Amino acid sequence: MLQISRLRALALACVLAAGAAPPLWAQQPAAPGDALPPAPPEAEDSDPPLSDQDTALTAELFYELLLSEMSARSGDAASGYALMLDAARRSRDPRLYRRAAEMALQSRSAESALLAIRAWSDAYPDSRDANRYLLYVLVTLNRPNESAEPLVRELAAAQGREKLSTVRALPQLYARVSNKAAAARIVEAALQPELSHPAVGPAAWTTIGRMYLAAGDRARALEAARHALELDHTEDGAAMLALALLEGGVGEAEALLGPYLADTPMPEVRMAYARILLESQRLADAQVQVDAITRERPDASEAWLIQGSLRLQAGDLDGADAALEEFIRQLEGAPPSEARERAFTQAWLLRSRVAEKRGDYAKAEEWLQRIDSSADPLAAQARRAALLARQGKLTQGRALIRATPTRNAQEERLKLQAEAQLLREAGEYQEAYELQAKAAAQAPQDNDIAYDLAMLAERVGRFQEAERLLRAIIERKADHHHALNALGYLLADRGERLLEARRLIARALELAPGDPFITDSLGWVEFRLGNRERALELLQQAFRTQPDAEIAAHLGEVHWALGQREQALEVWREGLRINERNDVLQQTLRRLGARP
């Protein structure tokens, strides 16, 4: 037997280098169905040290290792793997078992990897590395039930911060398992010993919640988020889980966020919450969160842009200008990129609208001149067209939009929609409807285009068509809360099928909790049903959340019907201050003969 230490070192170095450049764990996960996810990292000192006798290489073994690597590199992965596994069994070297497993994984053969890992585990029953690889491959092979035992062993072996990292990584590890519910139950059972631990418990409950959310069990996910935040109200992962639930329509999750947001939350979490509030049209609540972000993290540039938009909608033009100036100042320090140019475009458009609100059309045009029209020519031209329309030059504004070049069918539809919006804002509903109908004919499955067409159909008295369009949207997307609310309001406003209208609106409010416009619809249908006190309560709540001219019209009418004439007149005066041109408010005043 030829024992040459230099040859032994050379052969093992070759094996280890082949498996570590770059390590599989450091690679990015591949797209689903394309490649295996990264292999687990090595645990330090998990295998016992080898004696000189164990690691002695015969010439035969040395050449077997070299031949294995050469076979693998030349494309014959199966032969390379077989040689490496044979070498591992004969030498009992754990590094060779690991290398055999890695070769199988690199060749997309998880079953072969499992064979090597089981041989490794048989040789070294206490090896943590072997257990990690076993856990990883069983999950990769979509055999979650068999992964329970190695998962328990891995959690028992991990300590301190490593245990926290392991617990938090489990949802990603099990992400590709097809039976998400089974995976969630297995992880929940494995984490039982950790659930009351003050350091690990919050992360463990968060992981369980994420697993159940992935399985579609929102009730269990909500309960897990509640346990996590009760143990530690500052747990970022649990707050993000609550946000995901809230975004998915679980309104109860919002209450869990209170203590977290009152402490020192991650700005990203607060911003995500603000976006959800904006989507639900809860502008006043969104304003509170954005104010907190700009105060706590004044370098969070996106918050300043949202701040500018919210201030503009609230009529605070000076506040909007100040926020946009800060946003632009921060943006100027960012490196050039397409995203930076898009952000500048948003800022110039908003500043143009601020100037327009002030009646300074020259300044509004000056801001628009700063936009790089090559990136989004329609955005600037649509804004210019709106400025012309506000000055009584609707024809010129329409011509400006029509002259904007387009590169494809999608941009052509956007141009039709932009002109329809211009006409809608000018009160030319029939022509707006006809243009929107053309856009809808080009994309009949587009829910956003269909929704806008339904709103215009209602404006021109085509109630049956509006109802048909809204029902088609709901059939395609049952959780489209805007369509549910619009259909319910359409029925309520016409005094038809009021109980169905209430069910539709209530469902919309479940999907978008606190939305002031949906709350307004619910108040209006309660008024139509004769429940005036309940209607008053809902409409007051909606108006407090979002002062709006149309909500003011409804709230004032309820006060009027209750004989509270002074309150009605005061609400209507406030509505006129917000938007004196609002059609619903003006029609209400004419119908009731009221003079605020």
Side-chain angles (χ1 to χ4, degrees), residues 466-487:
E467 182 176 341
R468 178 185 61 79
L469 287 163
L470 291 169
R471 289 193 187 279
I473 293 170
I474 295 166
E475 186 175 343
R476 288 192 294 266
K477 192 174 189 301
D479 61 350
H480 197 297
H481 63 272
H482 292 304
L484 288 162
N485 175 58
L487 179 56

Side-chain angles (χ1 to χ4, degrees), residues 145 179-190 211-212 220:
N145 291 330
N179 190 336
K180 307 291 187 188
R185 290 192 296 270
I186 287 161
V187 169
E188 182 178 21
M211 298 288 292
Y212 276 118
R220 281 195 171 94

